[in-house]
């Protein structure tokens, strides 16, 4: 059974990311590991841009504990992709972020995946509940299907 490909309308926050010459591999398209870098960049920028968390200044930090990516269409330099992000689940100490990578003006994703962050206190490296202020920001981007 194949899962359907997501569309831009299903995501809540967007970030344009230019591809780089070095992103292409020997096959002439963006290498699969670059997609994970885009996911990481999208989540970090989302947290900073929305005020949910300032990773360098905060007393807590999100550790990536699970990732996945499904690829549907190739991307190649010199395209600019758009990363769409939605919050799929807010737990007590963790958040599941889902990211779609869209080519130029395509409505359907070229790739989709997720990051799960487990939040810990930097000083102790122990799990910590997500602060209420952060939870309120995340809730604004919660996917309708979550």
């Amino acid at each position: 059974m194949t899962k359907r490909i997501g569309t831009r309308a299903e995501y809540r926050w967007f970030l344009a990311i230019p591809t780089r010459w070095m992103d292409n591999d020997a096959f002439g398209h963006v290498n699969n590991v670059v997609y994970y870098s885009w996911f990481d960049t999208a989540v970090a920028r989302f947290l900073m841009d929305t005020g949910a968390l300032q990773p360098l200044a905060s007393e807590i930090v999100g550790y990536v504990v699970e990732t996945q990516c499904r690829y549907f269409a190739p991307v190649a330099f010199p395209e600019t992709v758009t990363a769409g992000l939605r919050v799929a689940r807010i737990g007590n100490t963790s958040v599941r972020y889902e990211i779609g990578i869209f080519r130029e003006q395509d409505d359907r994703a070229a790739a989709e995946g997720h990051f799960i962050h487990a939040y810990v206190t930097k000083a102790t490296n122990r799990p910590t509940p997500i602060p209420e202020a952060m939870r309120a920001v995340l809730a604004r981007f919660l996917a309708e299907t979550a």
Side-chain angles (χ1 to χ4, degrees):
M1 180 172 164
T2 57
K3 185 173 178 176
R4 67 175 202 76
I5 300 171
T7 64
R8 286 180 192 261
E10 297 168 356
Y11 291 88
R12 306 285 174 261
W13 181 89
F14 297 91
L15 176 68
I17 304 173
T19 59
R20 304 166 305 171
W21 173 252
M22 66 183 270
D23 294 338
N24 280 7
D25 62 17
F27 302 108
H29 57 72
V30 170
N31 189 273
N32 60 335
V33 301
V34 175
Y35 290 79
Y36 286 96
S37 176
W38 291 341
F39 290 177
D40 195 36
T41 296
V43 171
R45 282 288 305 273
F46 165 77
L47 291 170
M48 291 185 280
D49 290 358
T50 62
L53 182 72
Q54 295 302 318
L56 298 178
S58 176
E59 293 180 8
I60 68 170
V61 65
Y63 287 162
V64 176
V65 296
E66 180 179 304
T67 65
Q68 178 189 20
C69 185
R70 295 179 8 253
Y71 307 93
F72 306 115
V75 174
F77 176 82
E79 292 180 82
T80 295
V81 298
T82 300
L85 183 143
R86 63 186 174 220
V87 175
R89 182 181 176 280
I90 306 169
N92 184 42
T93 62
S94 65
V95 178
R96 178 184 168 112
Y97 302 97
E98 294 180 345
I99 303 100
I101 300 297
F102 298 89
R103 297 178 62 196
E104 302 293 333
Q105 299 304 312
D106 286 356
D107 186 53
R108 290 168 41 117
E112 288 185 295
H114 71 264
F115 258 31
I116 296 178
H117 271 172
Y119 285 90
V120 302
T121 302
K122 285 181 184 177
T124 64
N125 222 25
R126 306 281 297 163
T128 189
I130 297 165
E132 287 305 315
M134 180 178 176
R135 184 177 295 279
V137 172
L138 295 173
R140 294 192 336 245
F141 298 90
L142 198 58
E144 293 174 10
T145 59

